[in-house]
Amino acid sequence: MPASQYTVSDVMSHTAVAIGRGASYKEIVELMHQWKVSALPVLEGEGRVVGVVSEADLLPKEGFRREDPHLPEQLDEASKADAVLAEELMSSPAVTVHPDATLAEAARIMARKAVKRLPVVNSVGMLEGVVSRSDLLKVFLRPDEEIEEEIRQVVLGELPLRAHVEFAVLDGVVTLRGPLRDRALVPLLARAIRAVEGVVDVRMELEGAVSAMA
């Protein structure tokens, strides 16, 4: 039985601030300031996400206020310096995620695309919410007791070594102690425990196996 996985729908903000294509530059800045967000989804029709305006899309207006771009790679940024509407400023197509995606999948998208927030959309691209980096970190607020119970029931409960391996959870770090004859189980056990949401690290102090930091 695999460890449970939180999905984006478990941690996302269901109430999302969004704008239309015709939103003005100043309106966008005011909304970001008011709601303390770094990016806003751009919607059209009944709520389909067509782009995102981020702080990075707004900065060229200040960055190129007094000088023209000198390098070829600056041309794209400079083109936004004269933009005044969301449809001119936005990055499109929008980088989005589905509500049933795992937190690991959402984290990989954010890292790969270098974004801080992702619009959460359904199968037809309609906005359902927004997930941020801080939302993905919420799983590390799980109490040690809750993590411990999941490991006991879901991970160790499925293995024949349950009665022989003791473990403790402190600040999200799981330490396993006890006899373990089969060294091949060490990486498998570590991987299964790391899959438990909220686990920060796994430390092995198992007799009969090579001690390892997972």
mmCIF file with all atom_site columns, all heavy atoms in Angstrom, residues 58-85:
data_model
loop_
_atom_site.group_PDB
_atom_site.id
_atom_site.type_symbol
_atom_site.label_atom_id
_atom_site.label_alt_id
_atom_site.label_comp_id
_atom_site.label_asym_id
_atom_site.label_entity_id
_atom_site.label_seq_id
_atom_site.pdbx_PDB_ins_code
_atom_site.Cartn_x
_atom_site.Cartn_y
_atom_site.Cartn_z
_atom_site.occupancy
_atom_site.B_iso_or_equiv
_atom_site.pdbx_formal_charge
_atom_site.auth_seq_id
_atom_site.auth_comp_id
_atom_site.auth_asym_id
_atom_site.auth_atom_id
_atom_site.pdbx_PDB_model_num
ATOM 1   N N   . LEU A 1 58 ? 6.187  43.185 -15.393 1.00 0.00 ? 58 LEU A N   1
ATOM 2   C CA  . LEU A 1 58 ? 5.962  44.605 -15.126 1.00 0.00 ? 58 LEU A CA  1
ATOM 3   C C   . LEU A 1 58 ? 7.263  45.396 -15.004 1.00 0.00 ? 58 LEU A C   1
ATOM 4   O O   . LEU A 1 58 ? 7.287  46.597 -15.277 1.00 0.00 ? 58 LEU A O   1
ATOM 5   C CB  . LEU A 1 58 ? 5.157  44.763 -13.830 1.00 0.00 ? 58 LEU A CB  1
ATOM 6   C CG  . LEU A 1 58 ? 3.767  44.114 -13.806 1.00 0.00 ? 58 LEU A CG  1
ATOM 7   C CD1 . LEU A 1 58 ? 3.155  44.242 -12.412 1.00 0.00 ? 58 LEU A CD1 1
ATOM 8   C CD2 . LEU A 1 58 ? 2.842  44.729 -14.852 1.00 0.00 ? 58 LEU A CD2 1
ATOM 9   N N   . LEU A 1 59 ? 8.326  44.751 -14.590 1.00 0.00 ? 59 LEU A N   1
ATOM 10  C CA  . LEU A 1 59 ? 9.578  45.447 -14.306 1.00 0.00 ? 59 LEU A CA  1
ATOM 11  C C   . LEU A 1 59 ? 10.235 46.140 -15.498 1.00 0.00 ? 59 LEU A C   1
ATOM 12  O O   . LEU A 1 59 ? 10.907 47.162 -15.316 1.00 0.00 ? 59 LEU A O   1
ATOM 13  C CB  . LEU A 1 59 ? 10.573 44.479 -13.667 1.00 0.00 ? 59 LEU A CB  1
ATOM 14  C CG  . LEU A 1 59 ? 10.335 44.178 -12.185 1.00 0.00 ? 59 LEU A CG  1
ATOM 15  C CD1 . LEU A 1 59 ? 11.327 43.141 -11.695 1.00 0.00 ? 59 LEU A CD1 1
ATOM 16  C CD2 . LEU A 1 59 ? 10.440 45.450 -11.353 1.00 0.00 ? 59 LEU A CD2 1
ATOM 17  N N   . PRO A 1 60 ? 10.104 45.626 -16.735 1.00 0.00 ? 60 PRO A N   1
ATOM 18  C CA  . PRO A 1 60 ? 10.766 46.325 -17.852 1.00 0.00 ? 60 PRO A CA  1
ATOM 19  C C   . PRO A 1 60 ? 10.377 47.794 -17.993 1.00 0.00 ? 60 PRO A C   1
ATOM 20  O O   . PRO A 1 60 ? 11.181 48.610 -18.464 1.00 0.00 ? 60 PRO A O   1
ATOM 21  C CB  . PRO A 1 60 ? 10.323 45.512 -19.074 1.00 0.00 ? 60 PRO A CB  1
ATOM 22  C CG  . PRO A 1 60 ? 10.148 44.135 -18.541 1.00 0.00 ? 60 PRO A CG  1
ATOM 23  C CD  . PRO A 1 60 ? 9.547  44.333 -17.179 1.00 0.00 ? 60 PRO A CD  1
ATOM 24  N N   . LYS A 1 61 ? 9.164  48.153 -17.570 1.00 0.00 ? 61 LYS A N   1
ATOM 25  C CA  . LYS A 1 61 ? 8.754  49.558 -17.689 1.00 0.00 ? 61 LYS A CA  1
ATOM 26  C C   . LYS A 1 61 ? 9.671  50.459 -16.869 1.00 0.00 ? 61 LYS A C   1
ATOM 27  O O   . LYS A 1 61 ? 9.964  51.597 -17.250 1.00 0.00 ? 61 LYS A O   1
ATOM 28  C CB  . LYS A 1 61 ? 7.300  49.737 -17.262 1.00 0.00 ? 61 LYS A CB  1
ATOM 29  C CG  . LYS A 1 61 ? 6.749  51.137 -17.570 1.00 0.00 ? 61 LYS A CG  1
ATOM 30  C CD  . LYS A 1 61 ? 5.268  51.207 -17.315 1.00 0.00 ? 61 LYS A CD  1
ATOM 31  C CE  . LYS A 1 61 ? 4.481  50.412 -18.328 1.00 0.00 ? 61 LYS A CE  1
ATOM 32  N NZ  . LYS A 1 61 ? 4.594  50.992 -19.708 1.00 0.00 ? 61 LYS A NZ  1
ATOM 33  N N   . GLU A 1 62 ? 10.143 49.943 -15.737 1.00 0.00 ? 62 GLU A N   1
ATOM 34  C CA  . GLU A 1 62 ? 11.082 50.700 -14.921 1.00 0.00 ? 62 GLU A CA  1
ATOM 35  C C   . GLU A 1 62 ? 12.512 50.492 -15.410 1.00 0.00 ? 62 GLU A C   1
ATOM 36  O O   . GLU A 1 62 ? 13.298 51.435 -15.482 1.00 0.00 ? 62 GLU A O   1
ATOM 37  C CB  . GLU A 1 62 ? 10.976 50.267 -13.457 1.00 0.00 ? 62 GLU A CB  1
ATOM 38  C CG  . GLU A 1 62 ? 11.900 51.020 -12.503 1.00 0.00 ? 62 GLU A CG  1
ATOM 39  C CD  . GLU A 1 62 ? 11.594 52.510 -12.434 1.00 0.00 ? 62 GLU A CD  1
ATOM 40  O OE1 . GLU A 1 62 ? 10.428 52.898 -12.681 1.00 0.00 ? 62 GLU A OE1 1
ATOM 41  O OE2 . GLU A 1 62 ? 12.518 53.293 -12.152 1.00 0.00 ? 62 GLU A OE2 1
ATOM 42  N N   . GLY A 1 63 ? 12.825 49.255 -15.764 1.00 0.00 ? 63 GLY A N   1
ATOM 43  C CA  . GLY A 1 63 ? 14.190 48.935 -16.156 1.00 0.00 ? 63 GLY A CA  1
ATOM 44  C C   . GLY A 1 63 ? 14.659 49.646 -17.412 1.00 0.00 ? 63 GLY A C   1
ATOM 45  O O   . GLY A 1 63 ? 15.846 49.963 -17.554 1.00 0.00 ? 63 GLY A O   1
ATOM 46  N N   . PHE A 1 64 ? 13.735 49.889 -18.356 1.00 0.00 ? 64 PHE A N   1
ATOM 47  C CA  . PHE A 1 64 ? 14.113 50.529 -19.619 1.00 0.00 ? 64 PHE A CA  1
ATOM 48  C C   . PHE A 1 64 ? 13.522 51.933 -19.729 1.00 0.00 ? 64 PHE A C   1
ATOM 49  O O   . PHE A 1 64 ? 13.291 52.442 -20.821 1.00 0.00 ? 64 PHE A O   1
ATOM 50  C CB  . PHE A 1 64 ? 13.668 49.668 -20.800 1.00 0.00 ? 64 PHE A CB  1
ATOM 51  C CG  . PHE A 1 64 ? 14.382 48.344 -20.874 1.00 0.00 ? 64 PHE A CG  1
ATOM 52  C CD1 . PHE A 1 64 ? 13.784 47.195 -20.384 1.00 0.00 ? 64 PHE A CD1 1
ATOM 53  C CD2 . PHE A 1 64 ? 15.653 48.260 -21.412 1.00 0.00 ? 64 PHE A CD2 1
ATOM 54  C CE1 . PHE A 1 64 ? 14.436 45.971 -20.440 1.00 0.00 ? 64 PHE A CE1 1
ATOM 55  C CE2 . PHE A 1 64 ? 16.317 47.049 -21.478 1.00 0.00 ? 64 PHE A CE2 1
ATOM 56  C CZ  . PHE A 1 64 ? 15.714 45.896 -20.985 1.00 0.00 ? 64 PHE A CZ  1
ATOM 57  N N   . ARG A 1 65 ? 13.282 52.554 -18.580 1.00 0.00 ? 65 ARG A N   1
ATOM 58  C CA  . ARG A 1 65 ? 12.683 53.895 -18.578 1.00 0.00 ? 65 ARG A CA  1
ATOM 59  C C   . ARG A 1 65 ? 13.604 54.930 -19.224 1.00 0.00 ? 65 ARG A C   1
ATOM 60  O O   . ARG A 1 65 ? 13.152 55.808 -19.952 1.00 0.00 ? 65 ARG A O   1
ATOM 61  C CB  . ARG A 1 65 ? 12.377 54.307 -17.137 1.00 0.00 ? 65 ARG A CB  1
ATOM 62  C CG  . ARG A 1 65 ? 11.694 55.670 -17.022 1.00 0.00 ? 65 ARG A CG  1
ATOM 63  C CD  . ARG A 1 65 ? 11.442 56.021 -15.567 1.00 0.00 ? 65 ARG A CD  1
ATOM 64  N NE  . ARG A 1 65 ? 10.546 55.060 -14.944 1.00 0.00 ? 65 ARG A NE  1
ATOM 65  C CZ  . ARG A 1 65 ? 9.222  55.078 -15.065 1.00 0.00 ? 65 ARG A CZ  1
ATOM 66  N NH1 . ARG A 1 65 ? 8.639  56.005 -15.814 1.00 0.00 ? 65 ARG A NH1 1
ATOM 67  N NH2 . ARG A 1 65 ? 8.470  54.189 -14.446 1.00 0.00 ? 65 ARG A NH2 1
ATOM 68  N N   . ARG A 1 66 ? 14.893 54.811 -18.942 1.00 0.00 ? 66 ARG A N   1
ATOM 69  C CA  . ARG A 1 66 ? 15.828 55.845 -19.402 1.00 0.00 ? 66 ARG A CA  1
ATOM 70  C C   . ARG A 1 66 ? 16.811 55.368 -20.466 1.00 0.00 ? 66 ARG A C   1
ATOM 71  O O   . ARG A 1 66 ? 17.622 56.157 -20.952 1.00 0.00 ? 66 ARG A O   1
ATOM 72  C CB  . ARG A 1 66 ? 16.605 56.398 -18.203 1.00 0.00 ? 66 ARG A CB  1
ATOM 73  C CG  . ARG A 1 66 ? 15.741 57.184 -17.231 1.00 0.00 ? 66 ARG A CG  1
ATOM 74  C CD  . ARG A 1 66 ? 16.590 57.771 -16.101 1.00 0.00 ? 66 ARG A CD  1
ATOM 75  N NE  . ARG A 1 66 ? 15.778 58.606 -15.233 1.00 0.00 ? 66 ARG A NE  1
ATOM 76  C CZ  . ARG A 1 66 ? 15.078 58.129 -14.214 1.00 0.00 ? 66 ARG A CZ  1
ATOM 77  N NH1 . ARG A 1 66 ? 15.103 56.834 -13.936 1.00 0.00 ? 66 ARG A NH1 1
ATOM 78  N NH2 . ARG A 1 66 ? 14.355 58.939 -13.456 1.00 0.00 ? 66 ARG A NH2 1
ATOM 79  N N   . GLU A 1 67 ? 16.797 54.090 -20.795 1.00 0.00 ? 67 GLU A N   1
ATOM 80  C CA  . GLU A 1 67 ? 17.762 53.624 -21.793 1.00 0.00 ? 67 GLU A CA  1
ATOM 81  C C   . GLU A 1 67 ? 17.173 52.516 -22.643 1.00 0.00 ? 67 GLU A C   1
ATOM 82  O O   . GLU A 1 67 ? 16.251 51.811 -22.228 1.00 0.00 ? 67 GLU A O   1
ATOM 83  C CB  . GLU A 1 67 ? 19.037 53.129 -21.108 1.00 0.00 ? 67 GLU A CB  1
ATOM 84  C CG  . GLU A 1 67 ? 18.812 51.987 -20.130 1.00 0.00 ? 67 GLU A CG  1
ATOM 85  C CD  . GLU A 1 67 ? 20.107 51.588 -19.441 1.00 0.00 ? 67 GLU A CD  1
ATOM 86  O OE1 . GLU A 1 67 ? 20.720 52.442 -18.787 1.00 0.00 ? 67 GLU A OE1 1
ATOM 87  O OE2 . GLU A 1 67 ? 20.477 50.406 -19.573 1.00 0.00 ? 67 GLU A OE2 1
ATOM 88  N N   . ASP A 1 68 ? 17.704 52.367 -23.816 1.00 0.00 ? 68 ASP A N   1
ATOM 89  C CA  . ASP A 1 68 ? 17.262 51.337 -24.745 1.00 0.00 ? 68 ASP A CA  1
ATOM 90  C C   . ASP A 1 68 ? 18.041 50.044 -24.489 1.00 0.00 ? 68 ASP A C   1
ATOM 91  O O   . ASP A 1 68 ? 19.143 50.071 -23.918 1.00 0.00 ? 68 ASP A O   1
ATOM 92  C CB  . ASP A 1 68 ? 17.497 51.793 -26.191 1.00 0.00 ? 68 ASP A CB  1
ATOM 93  C CG  . ASP A 1 68 ? 16.625 52.985 -26.553 1.00 0.00 ? 68 ASP A CG  1
ATOM 94  O OD1 . ASP A 1 68 ? 15.490 53.043 -26.031 1.00 0.00 ? 68 ASP A OD1 1
ATOM 95  O OD2 . ASP A 1 68 ? 17.091 53.839 -27.324 1.00 0.00 ? 68 ASP A OD2 1
ATOM 96  N N   . PRO A 1 69 ? 17.490 48.904 -24.918 1.00 0.00 ? 69 PRO A N   1
ATOM 97  C CA  . PRO A 1 69 ? 18.201 47.641 -24.736 1.00 0.00 ? 69 PRO A CA  1
ATOM 98  C C   . PRO A 1 69 ? 19.500 47.607 -25.537 1.00 0.00 ? 69 PRO A C   1
ATOM 99  O O   . PRO A 1 69 ? 19.570 48.124 -26.650 1.00 0.00 ? 69 PRO A O   1
ATOM 100 C CB  . PRO A 1 69 ? 17.202 46.599 -25.251 1.00 0.00 ? 69 PRO A CB  1
ATOM 101 C CG  . PRO A 1 69 ? 16.308 47.351 -26.174 1.00 0.00 ? 69 PRO A CG  1
ATOM 102 C CD  . PRO A 1 69 ? 16.185 48.722 -25.582 1.00 0.00 ? 69 PRO A CD  1
ATOM 103 N N   . HIS A 1 70 ? 20.540 47.004 -24.954 1.00 0.00 ? 70 HIS A N   1
ATOM 104 C CA  . HIS A 1 70 ? 21.834 46.929 -25.619 1.00 0.00 ? 70 HIS A CA  1
ATOM 105 C C   . HIS A 1 70 ? 22.141 45.525 -26.125 1.00 0.00 ? 70 HIS A C   1
ATOM 106 O O   . HIS A 1 70 ? 22.963 45.357 -27.027 1.00 0.00 ? 70 HIS A O   1
ATOM 107 C CB  . HIS A 1 70 ? 22.946 47.363 -24.656 1.00 0.00 ? 70 HIS A CB  1
ATOM 108 C CG  . HIS A 1 70 ? 22.779 48.751 -24.135 1.00 0.00 ? 70 HIS A CG  1
ATOM 109 N ND1 . HIS A 1 70 ? 22.868 49.866 -24.940 1.00 0.00 ? 70 HIS A ND1 1
ATOM 110 C CD2 . HIS A 1 70 ? 22.504 49.217 -22.888 1.00 0.00 ? 70 HIS A CD2 1
ATOM 111 C CE1 . HIS A 1 70 ? 22.682 50.959 -24.215 1.00 0.00 ? 70 HIS A CE1 1
ATOM 112 N NE2 . HIS A 1 70 ? 22.457 50.595 -22.960 1.00 0.00 ? 70 HIS A NE2 1
ATOM 113 N N   . LEU A 1 71 ? 21.483 44.527 -25.576 1.00 0.00 ? 71 LEU A N   1
ATOM 114 C CA  . LEU A 1 71 ? 21.750 43.139 -25.937 1.00 0.00 ? 71 LEU A CA  1
ATOM 115 C C   . LEU A 1 71 ? 20.531 42.522 -26.605 1.00 0.00 ? 71 LEU A C   1
ATOM 116 O O   . LEU A 1 71 ? 19.389 42.892 -26.293 1.00 0.00 ? 71 LEU A O   1
ATOM 117 C CB  . LEU A 1 71 ? 22.123 42.334 -24.689 1.00 0.00 ? 71 LEU A CB  1
ATOM 118 C CG  . LEU A 1 71 ? 23.353 42.828 -23.907 1.00 0.00 ? 71 LEU A CG  1
ATOM 119 C CD1 . LEU A 1 71 ? 23.507 42.032 -22.625 1.00 0.00 ? 71 LEU A CD1 1
ATOM 120 C CD2 . LEU A 1 71 ? 24.606 42.721 -24.761 1.00 0.00 ? 71 LEU A CD2 1
ATOM 121 N N   . PRO A 1 72 ? 20.733 41.574 -27.514 1.00 0.00 ? 72 PRO A N   1
ATOM 122 C CA  . PRO A 1 72 ? 19.601 40.924 -28.198 1.00 0.00 ? 72 PRO A CA  1
ATOM 123 C C   . PRO A 1 72 ? 18.607 40.294 -27.234 1.00 0.00 ? 72 PRO A C   1
ATOM 124 O O   . PRO A 1 72 ? 17.394 40.353 -27.464 1.00 0.00 ? 72 PRO A O   1
ATOM 125 C CB  . PRO A 1 72 ? 20.289 39.856 -29.066 1.00 0.00 ? 72 PRO A CB  1
ATOM 126 C CG  . PRO A 1 72 ? 21.666 40.377 -29.291 1.00 0.00 ? 72 PRO A CG  1
ATOM 127 C CD  . PRO A 1 72 ? 22.032 41.089 -28.022 1.00 0.00 ? 72 PRO A CD  1
ATOM 128 N N   . GLU A 1 73 ? 19.118 39.697 -26.152 1.00 0.00 ? 73 GLU A N   1
ATOM 129 C CA  . GLU A 1 73 ? 18.217 39.035 -25.208 1.00 0.00 ? 73 GLU A CA  1
ATOM 130 C C   . GLU A 1 73 ? 17.361 40.012 -24.413 1.00 0.00 ? 73 GLU A C   1
ATOM 131 O O   . GLU A 1 73 ? 16.430 39.612 -23.724 1.00 0.00 ? 73 GLU A O   1
ATOM 132 C CB  . GLU A 1 73 ? 19.014 38.140 -24.254 1.00 0.00 ? 73 GLU A CB  1
ATOM 133 C CG  . GLU A 1 73 ? 20.108 38.832 -23.466 1.00 0.00 ? 73 GLU A CG  1
ATOM 134 C CD  . GLU A 1 73 ? 21.459 38.726 -24.154 1.00 0.00 ? 73 GLU A CD  1
ATOM 135 O OE1 . GLU A 1 73 ? 21.491 38.620 -25.392 1.00 0.00 ? 73 GLU A OE1 1
ATOM 136 O OE2 . GLU A 1 73 ? 22.479 38.742 -23.444 1.00 0.00 ? 73 GLU A OE2 1
ATOM 137 N N   . GLN A 1 74 ? 17.665 41.305 -24.499 1.00 0.00 ? 74 GLN A N   1
ATOM 138 C CA  . GLN A 1 74 ? 16.879 42.311 -23.783 1.00 0.00 ? 74 GLN A CA  1
ATOM 139 C C   . GLN A 1 74 ? 15.690 42.805 -24.603 1.00 0.00 ? 74 GLN A C   1
ATOM 140 O O   . GLN A 1 74 ? 14.821 43.496 -24.071 1.00 0.00 ? 74 GLN A O   1
ATOM 141 C CB  . GLN A 1 74 ? 17.764 43.513 -23.422 1.00 0.00 ? 74 GLN A CB  1
ATOM 142 C CG  . GLN A 1 74 ? 18.839 43.210 -22.394 1.00 0.00 ? 74 GLN A CG  1
ATOM 143 C CD  . GLN A 1 74 ? 19.696 44.426 -22.104 1.00 0.00 ? 74 GLN A CD  1
ATOM 144 O OE1 . GLN A 1 74 ? 19.958 45.247 -22.991 1.00 0.00 ? 74 GLN A OE1 1
ATOM 145 N NE2 . GLN A 1 74 ? 20.118 44.565 -20.856 1.00 0.00 ? 74 GLN A NE2 1
ATOM 146 N N   . LEU A 1 75 ? 15.653 42.452 -25.881 1.00 0.00 ? 75 LEU A N   1
ATOM 147 C CA  . LEU A 1 75 ? 14.619 42.991 -26.759 1.00 0.00 ? 75 LEU A CA  1
ATOM 148 C C   . LEU A 1 75 ? 13.221 42.568 -26.328 1.00 0.00 ? 75 LEU A C   1
ATOM 149 O O   . LEU A 1 75 ? 12.270 43.364 -26.361 1.00 0.00 ? 75 LEU A O   1
ATOM 150 C CB  . LEU A 1 75 ? 14.881 42.557 -28.205 1.00 0.00 ? 75 LEU A CB  1
ATOM 151 C CG  . LEU A 1 75 ? 16.133 43.156 -28.857 1.00 0.00 ? 75 LEU A CG  1
ATOM 152 C CD1 . LEU A 1 75 ? 16.339 42.557 -30.246 1.00 0.00 ? 75 LEU A CD1 1
ATOM 153 C CD2 . LEU A 1 75 ? 15.998 44.670 -28.936 1.00 0.00 ? 75 LEU A CD2 1
ATOM 154 N N   . ASP A 1 76 ? 13.062 41.304 -25.925 1.00 0.00 ? 76 ASP A N   1
ATOM 155 C CA  . ASP A 1 76 ? 11.754 40.814 -25.528 1.00 0.00 ? 76 ASP A CA  1
ATOM 156 C C   . ASP A 1 76 ? 11.258 41.547 -24.286 1.00 0.00 ? 76 ASP A C   1
ATOM 157 O O   . ASP A 1 76 ? 10.096 41.931 -24.200 1.00 0.00 ? 76 ASP A O   1
ATOM 158 C CB  . ASP A 1 76 ? 11.811 39.311 -25.265 1.00 0.00 ? 76 ASP A CB  1
ATOM 159 C CG  . ASP A 1 76 ? 10.433 38.741 -24.973 1.00 0.00 ? 76 ASP A CG  1
ATOM 160 O OD1 . ASP A 1 76 ? 9.510  39.000 -25.767 1.00 0.00 ? 76 ASP A OD1 1
ATOM 161 O OD2 . ASP A 1 76 ? 10.273 38.064 -23.939 1.00 0.00 ? 76 ASP A OD2 1
ATOM 162 N N   . GLU A 1 77 ? 12.165 41.752 -23.319 1.00 0.00 ? 77 GLU A N   1
ATOM 163 C CA  . GLU A 1 77 ? 11.796 42.489 -22.118 1.00 0.00 ? 77 GLU A CA  1
ATOM 164 C C   . GLU A 1 77 ? 11.455 43.935 -22.452 1.00 0.00 ? 77 GLU A C   1
ATOM 165 O O   . GLU A 1 77 ? 10.475 44.493 -21.959 1.00 0.00 ? 77 GLU A O   1
ATOM 166 C CB  . GLU A 1 77 ? 12.938 42.464 -21.103 1.00 0.00 ? 77 GLU A CB  1
ATOM 167 C CG  . GLU A 1 77 ? 13.190 41.117 -20.464 1.00 0.00 ? 77 GLU A CG  1
ATOM 168 C CD  . GLU A 1 77 ? 14.255 41.202 -19.391 1.00 0.00 ? 77 GLU A CD  1
ATOM 169 O OE1 . GLU A 1 77 ? 14.339 42.241 -18.722 1.00 0.00 ? 77 GLU A OE1 1
ATOM 170 O OE2 . GLU A 1 77 ? 15.012 40.234 -19.236 1.00 0.00 ? 77 GLU A OE2 1
ATOM 171 N N   . ALA A 1 78 ? 12.267 44.541 -23.295 1.00 0.00 ? 78 ALA A N   1
ATOM 172 C CA  . ALA A 1 78 ? 12.059 45.945 -23.640 1.00 0.00 ? 78 ALA A CA  1
ATOM 173 C C   . ALA A 1 78 ? 10.734 46.160 -24.356 1.00 0.00 ? 78 ALA A C   1
ATOM 174 O O   . ALA A 1 78 ? 10.115 47.226 -24.238 1.00 0.00 ? 78 ALA A O   1
ATOM 175 C CB  . ALA A 1 78 ? 13.205 46.442 -24.505 1.00 0.00 ? 78 ALA A CB  1
ATOM 176 N N   . SER A 1 79 ? 10.277 45.155 -25.091 1.00 0.00 ? 79 SER A N   1
ATOM 177 C CA  . SER A 1 79 ? 9.011  45.298 -25.815 1.00 0.00 ? 79 SER A CA  1
ATOM 178 C C   . SER A 1 79 ? 7.837  45.469 -24.855 1.00 0.00 ? 79 SER A C   1
ATOM 179 O O   . SER A 1 79 ? 6.796  46.016 -25.234 1.00 0.00 ? 79 SER A O   1
ATOM 180 C CB  . SER A 1 79 ? 8.774  44.077 -26.714 1.00 0.00 ? 79 SER A CB  1
ATOM 181 O OG  . SER A 1 79 ? 8.546  42.913 -25.929 1.00 0.00 ? 79 SER A OG  1
ATOM 182 N N   . LYS A 1 80 ? 8.004  45.013 -23.628 1.00 0.00 ? 80 LYS A N   1
ATOM 183 C CA  . LYS A 1 80 ? 6.938  45.151 -22.637 1.00 0.00 ? 80 LYS A CA  1
ATOM 184 C C   . LYS A 1 80 ? 6.998  46.492 -21.898 1.00 0.00 ? 80 LYS A C   1
ATOM 185 O O   . LYS A 1 80 ? 6.095  46.822 -21.147 1.00 0.00 ? 80 LYS A O   1
ATOM 186 C CB  . LYS A 1 80 ? 6.999  44.003 -21.626 1.00 0.00 ? 80 LYS A CB  1
ATOM 187 C CG  . LYS A 1 80 ? 6.671  42.648 -22.238 1.00 0.00 ? 80 LYS A CG  1
ATOM 188 C CD  . LYS A 1 80 ? 6.546  41.559 -21.183 1.00 0.00 ? 80 LYS A CD  1
ATOM 189 C CE  . LYS A 1 80 ? 6.143  40.240 -21.836 1.00 0.00 ? 80 LYS A CE  1
ATOM 190 N NZ  . LYS A 1 80 ? 5.935  39.149 -20.836 1.00 0.00 ? 80 LYS A NZ  1
ATOM 191 N N   . ALA A 1 81 ? 8.071  47.248 -22.127 1.00 0.00 ? 81 ALA A N   1
ATOM 192 C CA  . ALA A 1 81 ? 8.220  48.523 -21.434 1.00 0.00 ? 81 ALA A CA  1
ATOM 193 C C   . ALA A 1 81 ? 7.140  49.517 -21.848 1.00 0.00 ? 81 ALA A C   1
ATOM 194 O O   . ALA A 1 81 ? 6.754  50.392 -21.071 1.00 0.00 ? 81 ALA A O   1
ATOM 195 C CB  . ALA A 1 81 ? 9.606  49.099 -21.698 1.00 0.00 ? 81 ALA A CB  1
ATOM 196 N N   . ASP A 1 82 ? 6.642  49.386 -23.076 1.00 0.00 ? 82 ASP A N   1
ATOM 197 C CA  . ASP A 1 82 ? 5.611  50.305 -23.563 1.00 0.00 ? 82 ASP A CA  1
ATOM 198 C C   . ASP A 1 82 ? 4.197  49.745 -23.379 1.00 0.00 ? 82 ASP A C   1
ATOM 199 O O   . ASP A 1 82 ? 3.225  50.418 -23.707 1.00 0.00 ? 82 ASP A O   1
ATOM 200 C CB  . ASP A 1 82 ? 5.836  50.611 -25.048 1.00 0.00 ? 82 ASP A CB  1
ATOM 201 C CG  . ASP A 1 82 ? 7.139  51.361 -25.299 1.00 0.00 ? 82 ASP A CG  1
ATOM 202 O OD1 . ASP A 1 82 ? 7.523  52.166 -24.430 1.00 0.00 ? 82 ASP A OD1 1
ATOM 203 O OD2 . ASP A 1 82 ? 7.767  51.119 -26.343 1.00 0.00 ? 82 ASP A OD2 1
ATOM 204 N N   . ALA A 1 83 ? 4.094  48.521 -22.877 1.00 0.00 ? 83 ALA A N   1
ATOM 205 C CA  . ALA A 1 83 ? 2.783  47.883 -22.725 1.00 0.00 ? 83 ALA A CA  1
ATOM 206 C C   . ALA A 1 83 ? 1.996  48.520 -21.581 1.00 0.00 ? 83 ALA A C   1
ATOM 207 O O   . ALA A 1 83 ? 2.558  48.905 -20.560 1.00 0.00 ? 83 ALA A O   1
ATOM 208 C CB  . ALA A 1 83 ? 2.956  46.396 -22.455 1.00 0.00 ? 83 ALA A CB  1
ATOM 209 N N   . VAL A 1 84 ? 0.674  48.625 -21.779 1.00 0.00 ? 84 VAL A N   1
ATOM 210 C CA  . VAL A 1 84 ? -0.170 49.233 -20.745 1.00 0.00 ? 84 VAL A CA  1
ATOM 211 C C   . VAL A 1 84 ? -1.353 48.345 -20.364 1.00 0.00 ? 84 VAL A C   1
ATOM 212 O O   . VAL A 1 84 ? -2.037 48.621 -19.391 1.00 0.00 ? 84 VAL A O   1
ATOM 213 C CB  . VAL A 1 84 ? -0.697 50.612 -21.190 1.00 0.00 ? 84 VAL A CB  1
ATOM 214 C CG1 . VAL A 1 84 ? 0.455  51.598 -21.329 1.00 0.00 ? 84 VAL A CG1 1
ATOM 215 C CG2 . VAL A 1 84 ? -1.473 50.504 -22.492 1.00 0.00 ? 84 VAL A CG2 1
ATOM 216 N N   . LEU A 1 85 ? -1.595 47.272 -21.121 1.00 0.00 ? 85 LEU A N   1
ATOM 217 C CA  . LEU A 1 85 ? -2.721 46.390 -20.843 1.00 0.00 ? 85 LEU A CA  1
ATOM 218 C C   . LEU A 1 85 ? -2.231 44.977 -20.547 1.00 0.00 ? 85 LEU A C   1
ATOM 219 O O   . LEU A 1 85 ? -1.153 44.563 -21.001 1.00 0.00 ? 85 LEU A O   1
ATOM 220 C CB  . LEU A 1 85 ? -3.688 46.350 -22.031 1.00 0.00 ? 85 LEU A CB  1
ATOM 221 C CG  . LEU A 1 85 ? -4.339 47.668 -22.436 1.00 0.00 ? 85 LEU A CG  1
ATOM 222 C CD1 . LEU A 1 85 ? -5.219 47.455 -23.664 1.00 0.00 ? 85 LEU A CD1 1
ATOM 223 C CD2 . LEU A 1 85 ? -5.148 48.263 -21.287 1.00 0.00 ? 85 LEU A CD2 1
#
